């Protein structure tokens, strides 16, 4: 009995290098599950927001130097808070379908902490509105 081995002859194209492999192939294989990416991105932004909020709270209550607070970036901070909350919400939706209880706990914690920090930032901005220097 004779077996025939069929091999396909690769014809190099401009997007393919030697060996018939595309330059995009190594980049396509490096992917992360969306439930992990959204949760980790929202946790990373949560840490940044907690640092900024802590510094603002320190300057408001302890030093009372209001010019050192992050008034100049309030719009960017609030948009960043909304983005972080949205990513936490997406991460929570993706992990609710999975059976991983640890990841679900991280996602729900991220969601609650992002919402609480957003409300805290909003309240701090409301309390310090009279200390802002407004230029018209």
């Amino acid at each position: 009995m004779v077996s025939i081995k069929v091999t396909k002859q690769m014809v190099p194209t401009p997007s393919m290098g030697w060996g018939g492999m595309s330059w995009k192939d190594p980049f396509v294989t490096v992917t992360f599950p969306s439930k992990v990416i959204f949760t980790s991105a929202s946790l990373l932004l949560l840490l940044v927001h907690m640092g900024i909020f802590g510094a603002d709270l320190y300057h408001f209550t302890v030093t009372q130097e209001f010019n050192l607070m992050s008034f100049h970036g309030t719009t960017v901070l609030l948009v960043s808070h909304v983005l972080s909350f949205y990513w936490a919400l997406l991460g929570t939706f993706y992990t609710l379908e999975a059976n991983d209880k640890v990841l679900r706990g991280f996602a729900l914690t991220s969601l609650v902490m992002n919402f609480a920090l957003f409300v805290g930032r909003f309240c701090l901005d409301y309390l310090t509105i009279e200390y802002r220097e407004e230029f018209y």
Side-chain angles (χ1 to χ4, degrees):
M1 189 134 197
V2 177
S3 64
I4 299 172
K5 185 176 181 183
V6 178
T7 59
K8 183 178 177 185
Q9 187 91 17
M10 296 295 291
V11 178
T13 61
S15 67
M16 299 172 76
W18 296 104
M21 189 171 159
S22 173
W23 65 273
K24 299 175 189 176
D25 287 344
F27 300 108
V28 173
T29 57
V30 180
T31 58
F32 297 101
S34 58
K35 56 187 172 187
V36 176
I37 274 296
F38 288 135
T39 303
S40 60
S42 69
L43 283 172
L44 181 69
L45 272 178
L46 177 70
L47 289 176
V48 171
H49 292 148
M50 285 176 75
I52 295 170
F53 183 72
D56 284 348
L57 203 58
Y58 175 75
H59 290 303
F60 180 64
T61 57
V62 178
T63 65
Q64 294 184 352
E65 295 184 20
F66 305 113
N67 57 345
L68 297 176
M69 294 179 70
S70 62
F71 290 141
H72 58 279
T74 300
T75 306
V76 174
L77 276 172
L78 289 178
V79 168
S80 179
H81 273 284
V82 170
L83 181 69
S84 178
F85 179 72
Y86 178 68
W87 282 346
L89 191 64
L90 282 176
T92 303
F93 284 156
Y94 280 124
T95 56
L96 286 177
E97 297 173 356
N99 291 330
D100 193 3
K101 291 186 179 186
V102 175
L103 188 60
R104 188 181 308 159
F106 276 121
L108 288 172
T109 302
S110 173
L111 180 67
V112 170
M113 291 291 291
N114 273 303
F115 182 71
L117 196 60
F118 175 75
V119 170
R121 164 61 67 187
F122 186 77
C123 291
L124 183 67
D125 283 343
Y126 184 74
L127 286 174
T128 59
I129 202 160
E130 59 192 35
Y131 300 108
R132 292 174 178 254
E133 292 181 11
E134 300 291 335
F135 299 105
Y136 297 104

